[in-house]
Amino acid sequence: MIQREGKLVETIFHNEANGYRVCLLECDEEMLTVVGVLPGINDGDRLRITGKMTVHPRYGEQLQADTWEPLMPQTLEGIMEYLASGLLPGIGEKMARRLAEAFGMEVFEVMEHHPQRLQEVKGIGARRWPEIAAAFKEHNALRSFLVWMGQRGIDARLSMKIYQAFGEPARDMLQENPYQLLEVLPEIGFVKMDAVARTLGIDTEDPRRVESGLLAVLQASQGEGHTCLPRELLVEQSREFLQTGERVVLEAIQSLALDQVLQVTRLEDGAERIYLMNAYTAETQVAKRLATLAVSAPPPAPRGLTDRLERLQQTQGIRLAAAQLAGIEKVFSHRVLVITGGPGTGKTTLINTLIQLLEEEELGYLLAAPTGRAAKRMTDTSRREAKTLHRLLEVSYSEETREHFFNRDEDNPLETDVVIVDEVSMVDIYMMQHLLKAIGPATTLVMTGDADQLPSVGPGSVLKDMAASGLLPRIHLTEIFRQAQESHIVVNAHRINQGEMPLLNTREKDFFFMASHSPREALATISELLMERLPNYRGFDPQRDIQVLTPTKKGYTGTRQLNEHLQQVMNPPAPHRKEKNHGDKVFREGDRVMQIRNNYSLEWRRVVEDTATGRIKTMGQEEGNRGVFNGDLGRIHQIDSQRELLTILFDDQRLAEYPFALLDELEPAWAITVHKSQGSEFPVVILPLFPAPWVLMTRNLLYTAITRARVLVVLIGSRAVLHRMVENNRIQYRHSCLGSRLAQVALFHETPD
């Protein structure tokens, strides 16, 4: 590490959102290029910077700043230069000279502690001095906070984020209880905030630390799909995570429960489960509302329903199976219905026939699915508009509170007779809570999905719990129709689901296996398939029709390596393609990308793209044009370095502008994990199969991956890995009590037919 003192003479680049700066520092007779997070400074400032020298391949030698501290000017000339640097509004060279002449070396003391004396200077009156004083105070407060944090070894980027969120009170809040900041800035994470707390002298068994760490364990468990944890498991995981004793963990549980931050509950098995309060509220509300629907009086059935269904089949040239007919009839004898089944078993045909019948009866209906791609597929198959659940429930965002909310709820329910929701396996406990709030007493809810697919990314196992509860009416479709039997995608999906090896490489079929001896070899094969073989074979567009899926993020065939490799193959650097470096990623115009967290405030507009020219045309304004959600896929349409904006054209023809500060919300998507592909469907799926942690390499992951393909599946890798995945029927258990709650209600009511 080296240390340099000097004057900041020029800022070449500055990102105000995170404080990153490229600047020139004049040190004696040496001019240094300095890069790093250097917020709250201005050209003309004197700085002491500690860091290391690096050599950039394009820009040469640079000082990479690790820590920094401001040095106040020590001469009148330095003070005048400092004041005239643009630090304070309305102070140029002339006013800076007047201030220095009036107060000399005491000018900063006057501005901070006796600012009203500024009126002694010609040109500063009763209106201007408060503005100058406020600007000086704000600037000093930021610098003082950053220096105070830096002295404790805390990263300047994190310090800037904290100050932007809390302002001047941030230091007092940190000294009182640093963990409280996580309520507003959860993205910092417990581990980073714990490191800050340790520099402030917080003890390992301090109740503030233990309570915050315990909440972090429960929040992490939600990320793994659990809505709650058994008491013993929570204590064990918290002790290990915090490296502390059992007594303080038990005391923390009791304290948080008394404060109603946690809920401790005991079901019929006698074991205690511990919830975060929002998860407990969601699960109990879902159970209560489903139970209410299950016992509600059904709507009157259409007259002559059996004859009319016969006529509809003749009109459409189809033959419904007995289970499909029973499913349609149940819609008119219950207020809620769950329809499950694998690919090719006729879920779509059942829904489309139901829609025809509803239209004949002049009954209102709404169609929805969890994701944009799933909603688009529902639109394509039904030829009626289907919305995402967020759009159906009219998601809104409050600029004042910076929180999202749904306009449709129990006070403003959906105004229709039937709501049909597809791909319910993707719906977590929170989205189900909001959906059920919007289902009024005169509305029937029909939910369809494949219970054998991977569960939702969010917490809960909602579809499986509903289907297995015994409380809700359910139709399970098992018959594979003749047309579907011609597809080896469908046939092999069912074979895999039953623990049988798929049929491979049958001539003129749609399911192929390509043996590959190493991941490196597989990368070359995938590149060849994308760039030559598949486009030549059936005219598939590598950008729009083909998606590489993978079980894992790590390794040669994980998303990280695959995306780096495929970006160079599919979208290499070129003079006409602008690009933006962000952390360890390079975003380039034309890249496939995915949104990785919900952003309810981001605005978008609906457009139409001319695929031949790449030009886009904006359509009419659309209500509720906010919100981009986890899993949305798109392509980088444009990068504007001057405005620091990156424009994404999503697959459902929404165009959104991302400030560079939001690039953490995007990931490359030339390859995505199977988990992230849920609810999506692609013409072609390529799936590499090589050894990985067996907790990931499961039968239902393989089943989910191949059912994402509509036209063609290509597996690349080891036949032994494929065989072990088919045999590995390990399903990760999710701690959830929704099924138990529904089953308890079922004991008091007659089980539906």
Side-chain angles (χ1 to χ4, degrees), residues 223-517:
E224 296 170 357
H226 308 297
T227 60
C228 59
L229 286 180
R231 179 191 184 98
E232 295 77 11
L233 182 59
L234 175 60
V235 171
E236 178 188 338
Q237 291 185 357
S238 298
R239 287 185 60 195
E240 183 178 347
F241 180 60
L242 294 166
Q243 292 295 291
T244 191
E246 181 175 336
R247 176 186 56 80
V248 290
V249 173
L250 292 172
E251 288 173 355
I253 291 173
Q254 184 178 27
S255 174
L256 290 167
L258 288 171
D259 290 339
Q260 296 188 322
V261 177
L262 300 182
Q263 177 69 36
V264 181
T265 188
R266 181 182 281 112
L267 293 183
E268 73 282 354
D269 61 4
E272 285 187 345
R273 270 80 166 190
I274 299 177
Y275 292 79
L276 292 170
M277 191 56 74
N278 59 348
Y280 176 77
T281 301
E283 189 176 277
T284 52
Q285 283 190 2
V286 166
K288 181 179 178 180
R289 292 178 186 276
L290 285 173
T292 300
L293 285 173
V295 300
S296 295
R303 291 183 178 179
L305 180 57
T306 303
D307 292 339
R308 294 178 62 181
L309 285 172
E310 181 64 34
R311 189 172 69 253
L312 274 174
Q313 292 177 79
Q314 293 174 1
T315 303
Q316 296 180 54
I318 60 173
R319 201 73 218 161
L320 296 177
Q324 291 174 302
L325 291 168
I328 295 173
E329 290 169 356
K330 279 182 180 289
V331 173
F332 298 99
S333 58
H334 298 88
R335 281 293 182 194
V336 61
L337 176 65
V338 178
I339 301 170
T340 56
T345 57
K347 296 191 299 294
T348 299
T349 303
L350 187 160
I351 293 303
N352 288 344
T353 306
L354 173 60
I355 290 171
Q356 291 277 356
L357 188 59
L358 293 171
E359 289 175 346
E360 284 187 5
E361 285 292 300
E362 297 184 352
L363 293 172
Y365 62 88
L366 294 168
L367 308 179
T371 66
R373 291 185 74 98
K376 184 178 185 302
R377 188 170 73 251
M378 199 176 187
T379 297
D380 292 342
T381 56
S382 68
R383 298 183 182 177
R384 276 83 170 170
E385 182 189 17
K387 298 179 179 180
T388 64
L389 285 173
H390 285 90
R391 280 192 63 213
L392 178 77
L393 301 177
E394 298 175 11
V395 66
S396 293
Y397 179 79
S398 169
E399 293 285 358
E400 185 177 342
T401 64
R402 297 189 177 182
E403 293 179 340
H404 77 279
F405 59 94
F406 293 99
N407 288 311
R408 293 293 183 175
D409 56 18
E410 56 266 76
D411 298 321
N412 183 29
L414 295 165
E415 297 171 359
T416 192
D417 297 297
V418 180
V419 173
I420 304 170
V421 183
D422 195 17
E423 294 283 3
V424 179
S425 63
M426 295 182 63
V427 177
D428 65 23
I429 196 69
Y430 294 117
M431 183 50 75
M432 183 57 68
Q433 176 191 23
H434 290 298
L435 172 62
L436 290 170
K437 281 183 179 181
I439 302 298
T443 298
T444 297
L445 177 61
V446 179
M447 297 175 283
T448 71
D450 185 347
D452 292 316
Q453 288 189 23
L454 291 171
S456 59
V457 174
S461 188
V462 177
L463 179 60
K464 285 186 178 180
D465 286 346
M466 291 191 303
S469 69
L471 173 68
L472 306 181
R474 178 195 181 190
I475 291 293
H476 183 50
L477 305 176
T478 57
E479 181 181 340
I480 305 176
F481 287 84
R482 182 177 300 174
Q483 185 176 359
Q485 290 176 1
E486 297 175 3
S487 165
H488 273 209
I489 296 174
V490 172
V491 170
N492 283 335
H494 287 275
R495 288 178 65 90
I496 289 167
N497 204 29
Q498 293 161 13
E500 301 174 14
M501 277 290 285
L503 305 172
L504 303 176
N505 299 342
T506 304
R507 189 170 295 180
E508 297 181 359
K509 286 294 181 181
D510 53 9
F511 197 102
F512 295 93
F513 176 82
M514 302 178 69
S516 183
H517 300 295

Side-chain angles (χ1 to χ4, degrees), residues 161-170 173 180-182 184-185:
K161 181 176 287 189
I162 291 171
Y163 192 86
Q164 286 173 335
F166 300 100
E168 197 171 345
M173 293 174 68
Q180 66 181 310
L181 275 63
L182 292 173
V184 177
L185 293 173

Side-chain angles (χ1 to χ4, degrees), residues 39 89 97 101 276 281 305 311 508 523 543 585 594 693 704:
R97 182 173 296 280
E101 289 173 350
L276 292 170
T281 301
L305 180 57
R311 189 172 69 253
E508 297 181 359
L523 289 182
Q543 284 261 9
K585 302 183 185 76
M594 172 183 277
T704 300

Side-chain angles (χ1 to χ4, degrees), residues 183-204:
E183 295 176 16
V184 177
L185 293 173
E187 64 272 19
I188 292 177
F190 175 84
V191 173
K192 278 188 180 179
M193 192 54 73
D194 194 41
V196 173
R198 303 308 286 273
T199 69
L200 298 172
I202 301 290
D203 185 70
T204 303

